[in-house]
Amino acid sequence: MNYQAETFTQSDLWASTADLNILHQQLLNLFCRLAYQEGDFILSSGQASSYYINGKQVTLNPQGALAIGRILLSRLPENTQAVAGLTLGADPIVTAVSVVSAYENRPIPALIIRKEAKGHGTKAYIEGPTLPENATVVVLEDVVTTGRSAMKAVERLRDAGYTVNQVISLIDRLQGGAEFYQSVGLKFEAVFTIEDIQQRYQQLAD
């Protein structure tokens, strides 16, 4: 099957709209169609789950990436100086936001946080432009379960001298992540909850 020809017709070019409500609804549909699966799964946290969300099916999709970039950019505080996230899940997200920000005349650089320090050269944890000391950085994530994954990015950024007060996720599985961030003084928001995904998934299946 020719995926591109099969998937993207003129009527599907919704991600170019300026209407954030349309973007939000169509992005939800895309997560349901491409990323959400039901079955028996083990998550990166080690927890067993009856469903799995493969966020990269959407974040690496051209329509999905454009919609994500536009939606997340609209949610960033005005003083945001960079967006960052833990590799690998956040890589396409921070990139999408940064690219869209340039088109919106609000250029915001992207940082990628390694899980382990680079084994050569600078041996750094953080890839991307060097920011001013105490620069305000917002951490982005695809799916939050316990919140520990994105917290690694927060800690690396703070160790580098940056200010991090907020985490934004595409999806919150409602399994303690929000409460964890609150307990450590971080502001947290998600574009969708798992309840949004499952409700819409059922509607599309009916």
Side-chain angles (χ1 to χ4, degrees), residues 4 16 39 43 59 65 70 74 83 88 93 98 101 113 123 135 155 165 172 198-199 206:
Q4 186 161 344
S16 60
L43 306 178
T59 61
R70 299 184 74 182
S74 74
V83 289
L88 177 69
I93 301 173
S98 185
S101 75
I113 315 303
K123 298 184 178 181
E155 291 168 349
N165 297 317
D172 181 5
Q198 291 176 329
Q199 181 179 19
D206 289 342

Side-chain angles (χ1 to χ4, degrees), residues 19 33 51 66 79 138 179 181 203:
D19 189 324
R33 284 172 40 215
Y51 66 89
L66 179 54
N79 66 339
V138 175
E179 291 78 8
Y181 291 131
Q203 289 172 348

Side-chain angles (χ1 to χ4, degrees), residues 105-126:
N105 295 316
R106 186 191 171 189
I108 296 174
L111 304 176
I112 292 173
I113 315 303
R114 292 174 174 270
K115 294 180 181 177
E116 302 293 338
K118 184 190 294 186
H120 60 280
T122 61
K123 298 184 178 181
Y125 277 101
I126 301 174

Side-chain angles (χ1 to χ4, degrees), residues 12 17 45 51 55 70 76 92 97 112 127 142 151 186 204:
D12 289 324
T17 180
S45 63
Y51 66 89
R70 299 184 74 182
L76 295 178
V97 172
I112 292 173
E127 298 291 351
D142 56 351
M151 192 63 199
L186 283 167
L204 292 173

Side-chain angles (χ1 to χ4, degrees), residues 21-195:
N21 290 325
I22 293 175
L23 284 176
H24 190 273
Q25 184 59 50
Q26 293 289 355
L27 184 60
L28 177 60
N29 291 344
L30 208 60
F31 270 108
C32 293
R33 284 172 40 215
L34 302 181
Y36 180 80
Q37 304 173 58
E38 295 186 340
D40 296 318
F41 303 95
I42 300 297
L43 306 178
S44 60
S45 63
Q47 297 181 15
S49 176
S50 61
Y51 66 89
Y52 181 67
I53 302 169
N54 185 354
K56 287 179 282 296
Q57 293 294 322
V58 175
T59 61
L60 292 170
N61 173 289
Q63 292 286 85
L66 179 54
I68 287 166
R70 299 184 74 182
I71 289 171
L72 292 182
L73 181 64
S74 74
R75 292 177 176 234
L76 295 178
E78 286 298 322
N79 66 339
T80 301
Q81 293 173 266
V83 289
L86 190 69
T87 195
L88 177 69
D91 294 3
I93 301 173
V94 298
T95 302
V97 172
S98 185
V99 170
V100 169
S101 75
Y103 278 99
E104 297 292 332
N105 295 316
R106 186 191 171 189
I108 296 174
L111 304 176
I112 292 173
I113 315 303
R114 292 174 174 270
K115 294 180 181 177
E116 302 293 338
K118 184 190 294 186
H120 60 280
T122 61
K123 298 184 178 181
Y125 277 101
I126 301 174
E127 298 291 351
T130 300
L131 306 175
E133 188 175 357
N134 295 319
T136 299
V137 182
V138 175
V139 168
L140 306 180
E141 181 68 288
D142 56 351
V143 180
V144 162
T145 303
T146 65
R148 307 288 175 174
S149 180
M151 192 63 199
K152 293 178 184 177
V154 172
E155 291 168 349
R156 297 297 182 200
L157 290 161
R158 287 176 171 173
D159 288 345
Y162 300 138
T163 298
V164 186
N165 297 317
Q166 183 170 3
V167 174
I168 304 176
S169 179
L170 293 175
I171 299 172
D172 181 5
R173 290 177 57 104
L174 301 177
Q175 291 182 256
E179 291 78 8
F180 169 71
Y181 291 131
Q182 183 179 20
S183 73
V184 295
L186 283 167
K187 180 181 178 182
F188 172 71
E189 64 178 289
V191 178
F192 306 112
T193 68
I194 185 57
E195 293 174 347

